[in-house]
Each structure stands twice: as structure tokens, then as C-alpha cells.
Amino acid sequence: MDPIHYLNLAIKSIFVENILLAFFLGNCSYIACSKKIDTAIGLGTAVVFVMVICTPACWAVKNFLLAKGALHWLSANLSSVDLSFLIFISFIAVIAAMTQIVEILVERFAPALYSALGIFLPLIAVNCAILGAALFIDQRNYTFWESVVFGLGGGIGWALAIISMAAIRKKLMYSNIPAPLRGLGITMLLSGLMSLGFMCFAGIRL
Amino acid sequence: MAEALLSNKNKKILKDGVWDTNPITYQVLGICSALAVTTQLKTALVMSFGLTFVTAMSNVVISLIRNYIPSQIRIIVQLTVVSALVITIDQLLRAYMFDVSKQLSVFVGLIITNCIVMGRLEAFAMGNPPWKSFLDGLGNGLGYSAVLVIIGIIREIFGSGTLLGYHVIPASFYANGYVNNGMMVLAPGAFFLLGVIVWVQRAISGYSES
């Protein structure tokens, strides 16, 4: 496959179909953790990290275990077995296990990164951006490398959105916002504007 | 110590979920799907039903086994119970409402990681008896549904001029130059609407973040 195809997919997943601003995935942690730039950067990095690992892992689970006929490599008798109704439960188990493994590995080999990411790593297991990306891969029938690129792009897109929002909210501290609009309300309105901005990338192809 | 099934205390649990501590506008949970499935009222209704069912039932199940769950692995146990319920919903939708299931795409599966479900399990079902947990789940599900239905109605009327698929904006409007607001069906419209709804709800209930 030519590299341009992958570059296009990356641009699409980072900007045009930004997983947060176009599909609304991972909104809860986006709102909760965008108050400070430091935490936003920490969580953003963690999401990129986990997503790059989880999306190919889920791809493998689906294509070697769950899809119709996927068990063919085990025995010819199993080639008619279709376990795809187990996709939700297996994906969430894979993601939870992967986050756990990543946490252990990071703690062992990169203690500095571990202390920077802090409590965010375990929380990522229930971040719907990760499960969402995995389910998109299932739905769109991506190949292995496409799923790697999509995971990376989706993660970067999410990180980009949360970090820019944290920067905007820092400026917001000096503005006089009506009391009921503070916090969630104004963040939603701003996300709307950001989402509008990201939509300008629609149609970009190399 | 038998307590009436719908004593005032229990009614309050139900009411809290719907209004005072509404999961979306007060607890800031479950926003992802609230925005994603509301381009039409129909998908919003199906999603509301699915989430209310999953929240209420998972609350009951977890509450029944809450004394036997070791606390280190409670997240995995909760996720397993929730996924099993979500698979049930997904299979039912595929069997009886295939077109809606296609439109909802990944968002049925994403009920698993919906923060409302996990949040209520952690905050309520782990420490309360089954009936109370059921009411709490039901209340929160209904609170979520209320917001979804409001957003769904507004987005469908202004975005495509229909309600549940029927045209509600008269053809004479279009003849005189009325145009559907395309932004409503796109992502930014959802963000703006939810922002405004939060503003209104908090202005009435008097809650504000410092």
C-alpha cells in the first residue's frame, strides 16, 4: 500500500474526523481534566499511548478469534463459528488488560513518565474514546496497518483537542462568565466553536 | 424495618436523578452519547431506553453481589456485568430495529463505557440495597433521557424540519425561503445546544461551579 493512503487516513483521523470534536468520544474526561494544562498534557499523552497499543490488539482479537470464520487457523471444523456477538465484552477486556500492562511496563521502565501520567493511566480503561476507536476499526473493516495509523491519529487528535481546550480555559479564568454558565456550559459552547474550526479541514486530501 | 416501596425517601432518590443531580447537567457524565445520537428524536429515544435499562439493571445486579466483590477487581466485575447487559440490548436492536441499530453504530457498544453507568455503580450500587439502587438507576436514566429527548427534538426540527420522520415545518415556509439549519445536524450544533441547556437548567436549579 502506498504511504499517501496512510497519510490521508492519519489526517482524516486527527483533523477531519476528530474523535472528540466530530464523534464526541471521551467527552467526560475531556471536560473533567481540561482545567489545567499539565493534566491535559498528561492525559493526552496517556490516551495516545494506550490507543496505539489497544487498537491493533483489538484488531487482532477480532480477526483471529471473533469474526466469522476467524477460528479457521485453529481447526477446519471451526471455520463456520461466528463469535462476533462477543465483540463488546472482549474489546473492553482487552482494553482493561492492556491499560494494566501498560501501567506496569511504564512504572518499570519509565518511572518519570509514570509519575507524570499518575492516576490517568488506570482511568483510561473506561475512556470511551479508546473503546470507540476499537469499535470503529471493527465497523470499518480496517486492515492491521490502517488500525495502527487510525489509533495513532485518533489519539493525537484527542490530545490536541484537550490540550487546546485547557489553554483556552486558562485564559477564561480572567473573564466574567454568568454563574450558571461557568464550567460545563461555557466549555460546551467553546467546544462547539472548536468543532466548527476543525470542520474546516473537511475535504483535505493529499 | 420494612419500608414502603415508594416511601418519600425512595421518591427522593428517583427525583434527585431526574432533576437535582441530573447526570448530564449536574454530574457532567455521559455527555458523549448525549451529543452523538441526538440528530434524530428516534435514535435519541432508543438510546435513552437502552441506557435506562442498562443503568437500572446493572445497579440491581451489582447491588445484589456488592458484598462479595473484592475491591481490587471491582471495575472488571462491573464492566463484565455491564457488557453482558449491553450485548443483550445490542442483539435485541439488531433483531427488531435493524435500521436504528445501524444509525446508532458504535454508540450502543459505548454504553459500556458510559460514565453514567460506571458512576452510579461506584457511587450508589456498591453501598445500597437492590431496590434503592434500581430507583437510583431508573432516576438517572430518566434524567439522561430527558436531556436527550430535548436535544433530539430541537435538532431534528431545526436540522431537518421533521419530527420522528414526519414533516412538521410546512412547505409554505420553504417556499418563502426558509432553509433548514445545517449546523444542527453537525457536531458543533450539538455542543452549542447542550451548552445552552446546561445554562438554562443550572439557572433554574441555582447550581453553579465556582
Side-chain angles (χ1 to χ4, degrees):
Chain A
M1 272 289 214
D2 61 324
I4 295 291
H5 172 72
Y6 292 112
L7 201 57
N8 265 329
L9 185 65
I11 290 178
K12 199 171 124 186
S13 54
I14 297 176
F15 296 109
V16 186
E17 293 185 355
N18 187 294
I19 209 154
L20 179 74
L21 297 168
F23 290 110
F24 315 104
L25 296 176
N27 238 311
C28 306
S29 35
Y30 162 75
I31 307 259
C33 298
S34 61
K35 283 172 192 144
K36 281 195 198 142
I37 294 193
D38 294 345
T39 41
I41 293 177
L43 186 65
T45 328
V47 166
V48 178
F49 208 64
V50 174
M51 215 186 255
V52 173
I53 296 169
C54 279
T55 41
C58 287
W59 180 89
V61 167
K62 184 209 161 194
N63 282 287
F64 292 119
L65 293 176
L66 299 175
K68 189 167 165 47
L71 284 171
H72 187 71
W73 59 273
L74 212 57
S75 141
N77 298 332
L78 295 174
S79 55
S80 63
V81 177
D82 182 3
L83 290 176
S84 52
F85 65 93
L86 287 177
I87 274 184
F88 293 156
I89 206 164
S90 346
F91 277 14
I92 196 71
V94 168
I95 291 169
M98 279 295 167
T99 2
Q100 200 79 62
I101 293 173
V102 167
E103 193 186 350
I104 294 168
L105 286 181
V106 170
E107 190 181 11
R108 170 71 181 77
F109 294 109
L113 183 64
Y114 182 78
S115 57
L117 294 181
I119 56 156
F120 294 121
L121 268 178
L123 280 183
I124 285 177
V126 287
N127 185 325
C128 50
I130 315 274
L131 182 63
L135 291 176
F136 274 130
I137 280 172
D138 162 43
Q139 206 177 50
R140 297 175 183 169
N141 285 321
Y142 280 145
T143 63
F144 177 75
W145 287 110
E146 277 173 345
S147 74
V148 175
V149 173
F150 183 77
L152 182 66
I156 294 177
W158 198 90
L160 196 65
I162 192 175
I163 293 169
S164 4
M165 180 45 87
I168 297 175
R169 284 181 87 167
K170 201 171 166 93
K171 287 272 177 199
L172 272 188
M173 291 200 306
Y174 305 105
S175 16
N176 186 13
I177 306 163
L181 192 59
R182 269 175 217 158
L184 178 60
I186 192 72
T187 314
M188 280 286 114
L189 295 184
L190 285 171
S191 314
L193 289 175
M194 260 166 75
S195 159
L196 213 53
F198 270 68
M199 279 177 62
C200 301
F201 292 107
I204 293 183
R205 286 190 74 86
L206 296 177
Chain B
M1 289 293 282
E3 203 181 342
L5 280 184
L6 278 174
S7 63
N8 282 339
K9 222 178 183 178
N10 286 348
K11 273 187 199 147
K12 190 173 175 336
I13 295 178
L14 199 60
K15 185 177 156 272
D16 274 353
V18 180
W19 181 257
D20 293 331
T21 60
N22 185 293
I24 294 185
T25 61
Y26 176 86
Q27 302 172 47
V28 197
L29 299 174
I31 294 171
C32 329
S33 52
L35 298 171
V37 299
T38 47
T39 45
Q40 290 173 349
L41 183 55
K42 195 176 171 192
T43 48
L45 283 174
V46 173
M47 186 71 183
S48 308
F49 170 75
L51 189 109
T52 310
F53 173 80
V54 172
T55 318
M57 292 318 290
S58 61
N59 258 5
V60 172
V61 174
I62 291 293
S63 166
L64 281 173
I65 56 173
R66 67 183 187 281
N67 296 327
Y68 307 102
I69 305 177
S71 69
Q72 292 96 338
I73 59 157
R74 66 181 193 285
I75 303 267
I76 302 268
V77 175
Q78 291 165 357
L79 281 176
T80 318
V81 171
V82 176
S83 331
L85 288 164
V86 171
I87 290 176
T88 319
I89 292 274
D90 183 54
Q91 296 289 323
L92 280 175
L93 281 183
R94 275 180 205 207
Y96 297 106
M97 305 176 85
F98 190 69
D99 51 330
V100 179
S101 139
K102 274 272 166 259
Q103 281 172 348
L104 287 174
S105 77
V106 299
F107 290 99
V108 180
L110 287 173
I111 297 180
I112 299 173
T113 48
N114 192 305
C115 330
I116 297 180
V117 182
M118 295 299 289
R120 290 333 290 171
L121 289 179
E122 275 286 292
F124 202 91
M126 290 300 283
N128 285 285
W131 175 246
K132 283 201 164 88
S133 306
F134 176 75
L135 288 178
D136 178 76
L138 191 66
N140 277 283
L142 291 177
Y144 168 87
S145 310
V147 177
L148 243 72
V149 168
I150 295 172
I151 304 182
I153 291 177
I154 300 179
R155 282 182 81 183
E156 192 173 349
I157 289 185
F158 291 104
S160 15
T162 58
L163 197 59
L164 285 172
Y166 299 103
H167 285 275
V168 286
I169 298 204
S172 56
F173 276 37
Y174 291 102
N176 291 321
Y178 175 84
V179 189
N180 284 331
N181 187 344
M183 194 186 75
M184 279 293 169
V185 293
L186 295 172
F191 280 116
F192 291 139
L193 256 182
L194 184 66
V196 172
I197 287 177
V198 169
W199 188 0
V200 172
Q201 202 269 355
R202 285 186 176 177
I204 299 172
S205 73
Y207 168 77
S208 73
E209 289 173 43
S210 54

